[in-house]
Structure formats: C-alpha cells, structure tokens
C-alpha cells in the first residue's frame, strides 16, 4: 500500500508538471504568433507617427514672449517691460500679459538665461538673445506645423509593453502627453498594446470612445489639418 501511494503521488506530480509545461509553451507560442494589428503595434506602424504628432508639446502658448511655436520657456522666468521687471510663473501671468499685448509687444525683453522645452520635450538653456534668434529663424523657415491639436487623449489609460529582445512584459499607466510621447519615441525593440477602450476629446468638446487601433487611427486622420498650430493656447496640460 505504501508503494502504491508513493507511485500515485508521483503520477499526480507528473500530471501537474505536464500542465505547467503545456501552459508555458502556450504562453511562448502566443508571443511569437503574428500580432493582431487592432491591438498591438510597433514604432514602425503608422499609428505611432500619428500619436507622436498628437502628443507633441505645443509651444505656441507663449509666442507673445518667444515668438516661436517650436519652443516654450520653462516657468519661472523674468521679462522686462519699459524698465520694469515682471516674473512669469504661470499661465495666469501670460494671460494677464496677453490682455495688454498690443501695447507691450515691442518692449518685451527676456532676461537670460532661460530654459526652453522643444516639441519632443527635450530641453536646453539659452544664454542670450542671439541663441534664441537662431531657434526663431529655424522656426520661421519651417512654416509647416506638424502638431495634431484637434484631438486629445483623456488620461490616464494603460499600455502593455513587450520587449522583443529580452521577452520581458511590462505594464504602464500613462498619465499625460509627455509621458506617452517619451514612451513611444525611439523604442524599436518594443511591442505596444493599448488597453482599450480609451477616450479622446475633439476640438469641439465631443468625447470619443475608442475600441481599437483602427478606430484611433481613423479619428486622428479625420482631424488632421483642421486645427492650426499657431493659435494661442493657454490650457496645455504639460506646461512647466
């Protein structure tokens, strides 16, 4: 009886081991199966380029100061108007300045150095007016604004990532444009899967419920070119 019991336990352990191995093989097989384009995408797919343009930092909100939508100046900083110094610490300060912009526009002097943020959220320090003018000249030569501003994600939402090289899954909760832009940029070794449904808001206040990548790509394409990038926008969620 003791021998039979021992053999019986070995059989059970063997069955459990087979089940575990079988489950492990199924997981590995699911990874190498051709991904469903309605759920999974990589940085080479069209949808990534659209999302990157959609999540660019809009630098037009402070054009009354730096005259260039390619950058925005990080708060706080100081300006001088007719020998009087003002500290710009928030969007409210810009809004107050905008009320009297016509009378001030030719007298605003930025007090350097300042730190500026580009569309891709990279930063640099400008030490003088000449360095700012170089960027302004580049901005003026590049008349086409590639920001997609007529549709915005409603955060937060979740994204699953899978590292192709190391076969390592990761779960990320995305809370804003800057975070999403950085997550998708230059990540050729990653597969992404958005945890649908997600929501987006159009320029007219319409809220969309999106169920898959195809719907998201279609809605972004529908608004491309409708909204210009040179409008004064003072409600950017990713301001410094």
């Amino acid at each position: 009886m003791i021998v039979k019991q021992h053999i019986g336990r070995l059989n059970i352990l063997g069955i459990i081991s087979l089940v575990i191995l079988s489950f492990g093989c199924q997981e590995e097989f699911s990874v190498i199966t051709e991904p469903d384009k309605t759920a999974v995408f990589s940085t080479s797919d069209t949808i990534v380029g659209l999302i990157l343009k959609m999540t660019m930092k809009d630098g037009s909100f402070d054009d009354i100061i730096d005259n260039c939508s390619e950058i925005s100046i990080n708060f706080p900083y100081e300006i001088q108007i007719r020998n009087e110094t003002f500290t710009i610490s928030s969007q409210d300060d810009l809004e107050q300045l905008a009320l009297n912009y016509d009378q001030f526009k030719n007298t605003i002097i930025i007090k350097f150095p300042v730190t500026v943020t580009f569309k891709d959220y990279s930063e640099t320090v400008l030490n003088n007016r000449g360095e700012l003018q170089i960027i302004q000249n580049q901005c003026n030569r590049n008349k086409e604004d590639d920001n997609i501003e007529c549709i915005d994600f409603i955060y937060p939402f979740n994204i699953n990532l899978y590292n192709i090289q190391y076969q390592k899954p990761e779960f990320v909760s995305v809370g804003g444009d800057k975070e999403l832009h950085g997550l998708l940029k230059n990540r050729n070794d990653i597969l992404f899967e958005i945890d649908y449904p997600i929501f987006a808001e159009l320029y007219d206040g319409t809220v969309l419920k999106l169920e898959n990548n195809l719907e998201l790509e279609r809605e972004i394409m529908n608004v491309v070119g409708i909204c210009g990038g040179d409008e004064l926008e003072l409600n950017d969620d990713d301001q410094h």
Side-chain angles (χ1 to χ4, degrees), residues 154-158 173-176:
I154 297 176
Y155 297 98
F157 59 84
N158 301 322
S173 179
V174 181

Side-chain angles (χ1 to χ4, degrees), residues 37-68:
K37 287 295 185 180
T38 65
V40 178
F41 56 88
S42 69
T43 53
S44 62
D45 290 320
T46 302
I47 191 171
V48 173
L50 293 173
I51 294 175
L52 286 175
K53 290 181 178 182
M54 181 179 167
T55 56
M56 283 180 174
K57 182 175 178 63
D58 177 20
S60 64
F61 72 96
D62 65 348
D63 281 1
I64 59 176
I65 302 293
D66 59 32
N67 195 31
C68 179

Side-chain angles (χ1 to χ4, degrees), residues 75-159:
F75 301 129
Y77 58 93
E78 293 184 341
I79 61 173
Q80 185 175 310
I81 300 174
R82 297 174 182 171
N83 297 320
E84 187 174 357
T85 298
F86 297 87
T87 299
I88 307 299
S89 302
S90 67
Q91 295 181 29
D92 288 341
D93 293 334
L94 287 172
E95 289 174 349
Q96 289 299 315
L97 184 65
L99 293 176
N100 300 297
Y101 176 63
D102 284 339
Q103 78 179 86
F104 292 148
K105 63 181 178 181
N106 295 322
T107 62
I108 296 175
I109 299 174
I110 301 170
K111 300 189 73 172
F112 293 94
V114 294
T115 301
V116 299
T117 302
F118 292 87
K119 287 183 176 182
D120 63 355
Y121 300 94
S122 61
E123 297 184 351
T124 192
V125 175
L126 302 182
N127 294 294
N128 52 60
R129 176 68 183 171
E131 292 178 357
L132 174 59
Q133 285 180 327
I134 292 173
I135 297 175
Q136 289 173 331
N137 291 338
Q138 293 172 344
C139 180
N140 292 332
R141 283 195 297 268
N142 182 23
K143 294 295 185 180
E144 183 179 352
D145 191 345
D146 51 4
N147 287 21
I148 298 176
E149 299 171 0
C150 284
I151 181 170
D152 294 300
F153 288 114
I154 297 176
Y155 297 98
F157 59 84
N158 301 322
I159 295 183

